[in-house]
Amino acid sequence: MYDIIIVGAGPAGLTAAIYGVRANKKVLVLEGKAYGGQIINAEKIDNYPGMPHISGFDFATSLYKQTLELGAEIKLEKVLSITKEKVVVTNKNKYQAKAIILATGAENRKLSLANENRLIGKGISYCATCDGNFYKGKIVAVNGGGNTALSDALYLAPIASKVYLIHRRDSFKAEAKLVEDLKTKDNVELILNSSITSLNGDDKLESITVIDDNENTHNIKVDGLFVAIGQIPQNDIFADTIDISLNGYIKSDDGVHTNVPGIYVAGDARVKDLRQLTTAINDGAVSADIAVKEMI
Ligand code: NAP
């Protein structure tokens, strides 16, 4: 029996664990892949107050160690289901908790084009900071118009010989500062109002085909393509137990409670406007604080 079981060891989940153990609760964090969540891929975090320039890896590793040192258990097990009675079933065990905090984050969205899966690691990547160095002096493209795509293009500009930023609109979701910075880079070319329609190459990616709003198609020779078109939540397994929005995020009237008493949500997994490190950390702290206060 645990007081709190947290699903997901990203910033929201680990912060919830810290607040749980510091309230003297027995806390277990379950993670299906690796600690750190999406932030572990950020080359540099510039918008976390008081910690300018820290890398995502350093931040996530420090948070992970801090959580363990404070006394939380963290197990690498994939959660398969939860019940309203707070039973958590994983690929290895079955646990009972008094409260559950769901901090499952989200995963990279794929283009869903032919060849995409086959060419992953052979020219197609979803993480510029992980794979960017493989493209020293080469030609790369980044697809997307959000903070991730713009950050990726900025990261790749000093590494690659040429960076195409391909986006399906002529306006960006990304912060204006990132767009301004990108426009100062001589080797970056913006290809706007355009979508990728095919990924070409046998053993490795050789080119991409792009179509613009006027239905003109272009073949662009690239060595690498970084897909940065957003995330999709991972909450299908909870759909029998709690309310999930149409696009897969966990519903919460106040940003903490789900519709089931004793089951809470934190971080990118929930319906929210601003998915950032700062807001994930905030969610983790608040969800654990409320879970502790409401615990029978
Ligand atoms: P995002 O903000 O959801 O942006 C996704 C982009 O991909 C949008 O420009 C979208 O186009 C485009 N897109 C979506 N589906 C597409 C498809 N099928 N084909 C082509 N383009 C597609 O995702 P994100 O950039 O990964 O950011 C996710 C969250 O993390 C955001 O809240 C972001 O602010 C945050 N983030 C923060 C930092 C930081 O704090 N420094 C860094 C990275 C990310 P439309 O604009 O046309 O919808």
Side-chain angles (χ1 to χ4, degrees), residues 63-137:
L63 178 57
Y64 174 72
K65 286 183 181 163
Q66 183 184 7
T67 310
L68 283 174
E69 278 166 17
L70 286 169
E73 276 180 67
I74 304 177
K75 292 187 181 179
L76 213 58
E77 292 181 26
K78 191 172 169 50
V79 171
L80 303 177
S81 67
I82 60 167
T83 69
K84 289 189 162 111
E85 293 73 34
K86 273 68 109 200
V87 174
V88 179
V89 177
T90 74
N91 57 332
K92 294 184 182 159
N93 286 304
K94 195 174 182 181
Y95 302 98
Q96 176 73 60
K98 292 180 187 163
I100 297 173
I101 298 174
L102 301 174
T104 44
E107 277 202 347
N108 295 317
R109 177 177 287 120
K110 290 190 170 180
L111 287 164
S112 302
L113 291 173
N115 294 335
E116 186 171 7
N117 287 335
R118 191 171 59 76
L119 293 174
I120 291 173
K122 296 171 183 166
I124 294 183
S125 168
Y126 302 82
C127 176
T129 48
C130 314
D131 300 330
N133 271 326
F134 298 130
Y135 296 92
K136 272 187 191 140

Side-chain angles (χ1 to χ4, degrees), residues 47 145-148 167-169 173 229-231 275-276:
N47 59 359
N147 279 335
T148 303
H167 178 38
R168 65 185 180 184
R169 297 180 204 277
K173 259 190 188 171
I229 58 170
Q231 281 80 40
R275 291 192 173 84
Q276 297 270 291

Side-chain angles (χ1 to χ4, degrees), residues 15 45-54 59 277-279 281-282:
T15 304
I45 304 166
D46 268 347
N47 59 359
Y48 192 79
M51 277 192 175
H53 318 313
I54 189 168
F59 181 87
L277 180 57
T278 45
T279 63
I281 297 278
N282 169 76

Side-chain angles (χ1 to χ4, degrees), residues 17-46:
I18 288 174
Y19 276 71
V21 287
R22 283 176 56 80
N24 275 335
K25 298 299 174 193
K26 190 176 177 199
V27 176
L28 171 65
V29 183
L30 295 168
E31 167 61 55
K33 288 180 187 149
Y35 73 84
Q38 293 174 64
I39 201 68
I40 205 160
N41 294 325
E43 185 229 358
K44 199 159 57 102
I45 304 166
D46 268 347

